[in-house]
Amino acid sequence: MKIVAADVVVTSPDRNFVTLKITTDEGITGLGDGTLNGRELSVASYLADHVVPLLIGRDPHRIEDTWQFLYRSAYWRRGPVTMAAIAAVDVALWDIKAKAAGMPLYQLLGGASRNGIMAYGHASGRDSQELFDSIRRHLEMGYRSIRVQTSVPGINAVYGVAAQPSAGGKRYDYEPAQRTALPAEEDWDTRAYLRHLPGVFEAVRGEFGPELPLLHDGHHRMTPIQAAKLGKALEPYDLFWLEDCTPAENQEALRLVRQHTTTPLAIGEVFNTVWDYQTLIREQLIDYVRSAVTHTGGITAMRKLLDYAAQYQIKSGIHGPTDISPVGMAAALHLDLAIHNFGIQEYMQHGPATNEVFRQSFSFTDGYLHPGELPGLGVELDEEAAARFPYQPAYLPFNRLKDGTVHDW
Ligand code: EZ4
Ligand code: CO
């Protein structure tokens, strides 16, 4: 088999997505996701200008060889743009191989290790009543594990709270990137957050009882000692995990946090290679790996990363916000089903226009996801529908402290 074409499709149904479609001389096509929130066109250019010309004529079955060729021949290592582009190629090639085999992709990864994939959803509220309503709504939608994010008195706009007004006055239900010409400015005060959050979890436990798995995302905003303090304060509420408690690039910060708290720690949605985890995994400083298949070099690289983590009883918690396209989500679900050290899968749910552009075959039943039984990933791209939603500039917000200092968002 030979690759005869590779097309980069940029579409913006509910948000921007970058999709690579690889076509073979046998008529089999494969899809890969290269979406990088707020920087989408850089991956589209990397693929169209520098990768597509290298793919034409290659044997699509040689996935490992293609991965190593793209990674090593670029000379420049790692980085979100490069690794998202490599992921798009890698996942498209796995899609092709599984279609050629006539099997759902998870079968080629070793077959199912479980019946379904436990997913968590995003509940949030500006106050406890709104938060409780949101948790109840997520339970009604079928979720059996819930991430809890809340407003903080004295802060106007906080990451992850769907009902708070955002730039342009819209709710940010689906995700925080906004279709604005400039990134929206939000505000932040870590001491106010640390004072407020334990009481919120106490109230949620009081209302919903001890069993419901609860998660929280610190979104990179604390120093190591602040994160240690929060982890300790949340211990009575038995979190499933505390995510991104410190900015992710300093692996050693987690050592300090770990010495102070038994709250499980998750990190890695902004990482893009196994090298970002070297210290974290070897020293068992975390409990869950948060990488996205889309941002970490695809199935090939994620499998190696998760196998490395498995040696240390560290589990998967694959990133699944709405800025991962249905193609990237499908890749995650096939991997989740096959690996032994599965932990949990983030699942936010795409909007109706996205579901029209990407026809999907996964199911979500009683809290569990399943990728379905179609050959390959089980996702088809409706290119006519995609063309009706052209790219729109959009940015994630950023934070400033009260004195104007830029802060992690
Ligand atoms: O802010 O995907 O755990 N999920 C998250 C996400 C990220 C967005 C950034 O593009 O932190 O909501
Ligand atoms: Co996160």
Side-chain angles (χ1 to χ4, degrees), residues 37 147 159 217 219 243 269 290 319 321 323 346 396 409:
N37 204 354
R147 190 185 85 158
Y159 161 78
D217 193 342
H219 226 253
E243 175 185 348
E269 70 183 39
R290 288 290 286 136
H319 197 211
D323 47 288
E346 184 180 26
L396 288 165
W409 175 80

Side-chain angles (χ1 to χ4, degrees), residues 380-401:
E380 292 300 323
L381 177 69
D382 182 334
E383 288 178 76
E384 277 175 27
R388 280 192 273 115
F389 302 104
Y391 169 80
Q392 291 190 25
Y395 287 100
L396 288 165
F398 76 108
N399 267 335
R400 283 192 193 276
L401 304 179

